[in-house]
Amino acid sequence: MAGVGTLMLLDSASLYYRAFYGVPETMTAPDGTPVNAVRGLLDMMSRLLRARTPGRLVACLDADWRPAFRTAAIPSYKAHRANPDGTEQAPEALTAQIPVIEQVLAAAGVAMSSAPGYEADDVIGTLAARDAGPVDVVTGDRDLFQVVDDERGVRVIYTARGLSKLDVIDEAAVASRYDIPGRAYAAFAALRGDPSDGLPGVSGVGEKTAAALVRRFGSVDDILAALDAGHGGFPMGSRAKLTADRAYLEACVPVVAVATDAPVSAAGGELPSRPADPKRLAELDERWGLGSSLGRLLSALASNPA
């Protein structure tokens, strides 16, 4: 269980997407509008607070889901998920609930953080890098495995199997899953690629070869330096593949790597013992029918040690 001083960083979009698809749209406000993502997220947060007992909490948000610095390096980055106007493809029933989520969290007094031109992953990476630790990063996104750092107590609380089967990802868990050093996930992901993010990876290099390259050489920069030096320790056939996709390798590092220097303002994150704006929260509760979900969150916030 996390200690009193632990900072919990929520990958908010990852969680509310999971809530939207995990809770039926028949959960509605009094006027029939779906609130499954709102109530599902509130329930997730209350369960996480009780299970992990953090001392601080920050909900991290995307200010830009497809940052220009990443698309400039690799234009295919998330391109398949973009609408013609540049917004992210998402069900309308979910999109309509995102402002409600933010309004409820603000009225409840939960700290939120974002950075212009950056994704929530970068906000998480920056806040985790700044904090003395321990830090729990709550997400269903493997990209954030790269922030794991045993020395500083940064772990990922991985929600892919649901909140009843939370996986605590530390360096040993990364090494066990992928047969790579515990802090080498970014290089491994760059080599392997990620179709869900529009990252092609090195053609013909799968997980086993990517892992072998990372174990042998380390970072992408180290792999490129070994290519230039004519090093002989490459897995069979991989030298030609890496050489053919060198331009991708050179471009992908800032795309895959979670930023640790995003312009994130100090987030605080102290757990509120009472709502920041009780009147507004009561209005939101009545409008959206948040009921027991909101009650459980407020109870969990008030009962956690601070």
Side-chain angles (χ1 to χ4, degrees), residues 118 122 125-127 129-130 258-264:
Y118 288 85
D122 303 309
T126 299
L127 292 177
R130 286 180 186 173
V258 170
T260 57
D261 59 353
V264 181

Side-chain angles (χ1 to χ4, degrees), residues 184-227:
Y185 187 82
F188 170 76
L191 291 162
R192 179 201 60 196
D194 187 347
S196 68
D197 280 343
L199 297 175
V202 175
S203 180
V205 170
E207 288 202 357
K208 289 185 178 180
T209 301
L213 288 164
V214 170
R215 288 195 307 272
R216 180 67 182 86
F217 299 108
S219 70
V220 170
D221 287 342
D222 291 335
I223 291 169
L224 292 173
L227 277 177

Side-chain angles (χ1 to χ4, degrees), residues 281-293:
L281 193 59
E283 292 171 349
L284 290 166
D285 186 12
E286 181 178 3
R287 167 68 181 86
W288 300 108
L290 304 178
S292 58
S293 297

Side-chain angles (χ1 to χ4, degrees), residues 61-64 67 113-120 122-123 126 261-265:
L61 308 169
D62 286 327
D64 189 340
S113 185
S114 61
Y118 288 85
E119 299 176 62
D122 303 309
V123 176
T126 299
D261 59 353
V264 181
S265 57

Side-chain angles (χ1 to χ4, degrees), residues 61-128:
L61 308 169
D62 286 327
D64 189 340
W65 74 282
R66 195 168 175 251
F69 74 92
R70 289 193 167 104
T71 59
I74 298 183
S76 64
Y77 181 66
K78 295 186 178 180
H80 60 297
R81 291 157 51 185
N83 291 314
D85 63 357
T87 58
E88 185 176 14
Q89 294 176 5
E92 290 184 13
L94 171 58
T95 301
Q97 295 182 63
I98 296 173
V100 181
I101 288 169
E102 295 181 7
Q103 292 164 20
V104 171
L105 294 183
V110 174
M112 291 180 284
S113 185
S114 61
Y118 288 85
E119 299 176 62
D121 285 10
D122 303 309
V123 176
I124 289 169
T126 299
L127 292 177

Side-chain angles (χ1 to χ4, degrees), residues 6-247:
T6 298
L7 170 63
M8 177 175 282
L9 301 175
L10 303 181
D11 182 1
S12 302
S14 172
L15 296 182
Y16 63 60
Y17 265 88
R18 177 167 294 278
F20 178 77
Y21 287 109
V23 179
E25 287 187 50
T26 51
M27 181 172 283
T28 60
D31 66 357
T33 304
V35 289
N36 55 327
V38 183
R39 293 195 59 168
L41 176 65
L42 299 182
D43 283 334
M44 284 183 179
M45 290 175 63
S46 63
R47 292 174 66 183
L48 286 162
L49 286 166
R50 292 195 182 280
R52 304 297 305 173
T53 60
R56 293 165 291 149
L57 174 70
V58 180
C60 301
L61 308 169
D62 286 327
D64 189 340
W65 74 282
R66 195 168 175 251
F69 74 92
R70 289 193 167 104
T71 59
I74 298 183
S76 64
Y77 181 66
K78 295 186 178 180
H80 60 297
R81 291 157 51 185
N83 291 314
D85 63 357
T87 58
E88 185 176 14
Q89 294 176 5
E92 290 184 13
L94 171 58
T95 301
Q97 295 182 63
I98 296 173
V100 181
I101 288 169
E102 295 181 7
Q103 292 164 20
V104 171
L105 294 183
V110 174
M112 291 180 284
S113 185
S114 61
Y118 288 85
E119 299 176 62
D121 285 10
D122 303 309
V123 176
I124 289 169
T126 299
L127 292 177
R130 286 180 186 173
D131 201 80
V135 178
D136 280 354
V137 175
V138 184
T139 184
D141 186 350
R142 293 180 300 172
D143 291 344
L144 283 163
F145 287 0
Q146 65 185 277
V147 305
V148 166
D149 185 335
D150 285 357
E151 290 182 9
R152 298 182 52 254
V154 181
R155 299 165 297 189
V156 166
I157 309 303
Y158 192 45
T159 63
R161 296 196 298 163
L163 293 189
S164 62
K165 298 180 179 178
L166 290 173
D167 292 324
V168 179
I169 305 298
D170 55 12
E171 290 186 37
V174 174
S176 175
R177 282 171 178 252
Y178 303 107
D179 198 20
I180 58 175
R183 299 187 197 177
Y185 187 82
F188 170 76
L191 291 162
R192 179 201 60 196
D194 187 347
S196 68
D197 280 343
L199 297 175
V202 175
S203 180
V205 170
E207 288 202 357
K208 289 185 178 180
T209 301
L213 288 164
V214 170
R215 288 195 307 272
R216 180 67 182 86
F217 299 108
S219 70
V220 170
D221 287 342
D222 291 335
I223 291 169
L224 292 173
L227 277 177
D228 292 340
H231 199 289
F234 286 86
M236 185 176 297
S238 63
R239 176 185 289 277
K241 295 170 184 175
L242 293 165
T243 300
D245 278 350
R246 185 184 182 106

